Amino acid sequence: MELLQYPLAFIVTLGVLVTFHELGHFVIARWSGVKVVRFSVGFGRPLWSRIDRHGTEFVLAAIPLGGYVRMLDEREPGVVAPAVPLSPDDVSHSALSVWWRIAIAFGGPVANFLLAIIVYWF
């Protein structure tokens, strides 16, 4: 039983860390007005996905060793799925000021730092 407990605990812990990290990027990106195309925890084949009212696809993927937040970017054509219509109000990542892009980049590490504070507090 102990043989399965450690790998399972590692995967769950890594999943929580990755989720909070990507959530930090996601929250700052949404706050800045960027169109977030996909929020994924894990890589590879999607096991579960859902599209919210903003057109963001939330994905839980097969390999739980990381994740990503894909934002609308004019330098990367064809990223948005055809099922997700774009509105004139959607902002791309490349159209933001440098300070907003820096804030989005720091959103993940800041979220992990806040998670560490919360965990130690408990």
Side-chain angles (χ1 to χ4, degrees):
M1 187 65 163
E2 207 171 294
L3 184 64
L4 293 175
Q5 185 178 2
Y6 290 117
L8 185 62
F10 175 75
I11 289 172
V12 169
T13 302
L14 190 61
V16 169
L17 288 173
V18 166
T19 302
F20 268 86
H21 181 87
E22 298 306 329
L23 193 62
H25 294 305
F26 175 77
V27 166
I28 302 297
R30 278 266 177 100
W31 193 26
S32 70
V34 171
K35 167 81 173 168
V36 178
V37 178
R38 179 182 263 190
F39 178 91
S40 178
V41 175
F43 297 110
R45 187 177 62 86
L47 300 174
W48 175 85
S49 72
R50 183 178 78 79
I51 297 177
D52 72 350
R53 63 184 172 93
H54 298 288
T56 302
E57 181 183 19
F58 291 90
V59 174
L60 183 61
I63 305 169
L65 297 176
Y68 62 93
V69 176
R70 177 171 273 169
M71 295 168 248
L72 182 65
D73 196 344
E74 294 162 349
R75 299 171 294 182
E76 195 175 356
V79 167
V80 179
V84 180
L86 290 176
S87 73
D89 297 333
D90 290 337
V91 178
S92 73
H93 183 263
S94 56
L96 291 176
S97 70
V98 172
W99 297 110
W100 271 118
R101 287 184 273 169
I102 290 171
I104 291 171
F106 276 109
V110 168
N112 283 124
F113 186 69
L114 293 174
L115 177 64
I117 291 172
I118 291 168
V119 167
Y120 282 125
W121 182 67
F122 278 115

